[in-house]
């Protein structure tokens, strides 16, 4: 029974990730304007191949790493998952890509950074890291790759 439960703990998350990957890949191939989704198509296609490969390994029982997701791991991951879902389904389009990404990154960094939340120094560090991250993202997408990003309220 323990072996079956361990196997399910590998199959369920990889199956969910593969399903989400297939959905994202489908969206990238069906959205318009087609030119704007060239880069997302490439990334999502690679993502789907890797996700399906991992799922197939889990189904065949070839996943030998770890013991799956424990309740404490799910509890630790839940806040980040909630932030990510809000970002994907509402914030990126509603607030604009760069604004929403800045907010989501800062929240995630604040949630998972082990530094004290009572010290100004740690908040300044988080703000600087977020600004540097966004500068890299902006440089990569807007300047280097010249790809479309969702544009709404701010960017």
């Amino acid at each position: 029974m323990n072996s079956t439960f361990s196997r399910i703990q590998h199959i369920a998350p990889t199956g969910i990730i593969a399903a989400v990957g297939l959905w994202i890949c489908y969206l990238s191939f069906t959205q318009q304007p087609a030119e704007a989704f060239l880069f997302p198509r490439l990334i999502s296609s690679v993502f789907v191949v890797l996700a399906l490969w991992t799922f197939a390994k889990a189904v065949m029982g070839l996943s030998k790493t770890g013991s799956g997701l424990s309740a404490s791991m799910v509890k630790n991951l839940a806040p980040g998952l909630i932030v990510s879902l809000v970002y994907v389904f509402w914030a990126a389009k509603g607030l604009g890509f760069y604004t929403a990404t800045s907010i989501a990154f800062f929240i995630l960094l604040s949630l998972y950074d082990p530094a004290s939340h009572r010290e100004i120094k740690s908040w300044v560090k988080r703000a600087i890291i977020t600004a540097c991250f966004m500068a890299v993202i902006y440089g990569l997408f807007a300047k280097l790759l010249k790809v479309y990003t969702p544009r709404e309220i701010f960017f």
Side-chain angles (χ1 to χ4, degrees):
M1 171 142 159
N2 193 19
S3 174
T4 303
F5 183 69
S6 177
R7 195 158 171 207
I8 290 170
Q9 283 186 312
H10 284 93
I11 293 171
T14 58
I16 292 168
I17 291 169
V20 169
L22 284 167
W23 178 62
I24 291 170
C25 191
Y26 169 78
L27 288 177
S28 72
F29 277 92
T30 57
Q31 298 298 307
Q32 295 297 325
E35 318 72 63
F37 290 90
L38 181 60
F39 184 69
R41 284 180 187 152
L42 174 68
I43 297 299
S44 64
S45 297
V46 171
F47 179 80
V48 163
V49 168
L50 295 175
L52 289 173
W53 178 28
T54 304
F55 178 64
K57 284 179 56 178
V59 168
M60 293 187 294
L62 300 174
S63 297
K64 302 296 182 195
T65 57
S67 59
L69 292 173
S70 66
S72 65
M73 289 173 77
V74 171
K75 182 181 168 189
N76 289 338
L77 293 172
L81 181 60
I82 291 167
V83 170
S84 299
L85 290 172
V86 168
Y87 172 79
V88 167
F89 289 108
W90 177 77
K93 187 171 183 177
L95 297 176
F97 175 76
Y98 295 109
T99 303
T101 302
S102 298
I103 293 168
F105 185 82
F106 185 77
I107 291 171
L108 290 171
L109 184 59
S110 299
L111 284 171
Y112 293 109
D113 183 8
S116 173
H117 288 84
R118 297 175 189 247
E119 296 178 15
I120 297 290
K121 180 181 172 183
S122 65
W123 288 104
V124 170
K125 180 185 84 172
R126 290 181 190 111
I128 291 170
I129 291 170
T130 300
C132 291
F133 173 77
M134 289 312 302
V136 169
I137 293 296
Y138 179 76
L140 177 67
F141 286 118
K143 300 300 179 189
L144 184 65
L145 296 172
K146 297 183 186 338
V147 295
Y148 169 84
T149 56
R151 299 187 195 285
E152 294 297 326
I153 294 174
F154 294 114
F155 283 88

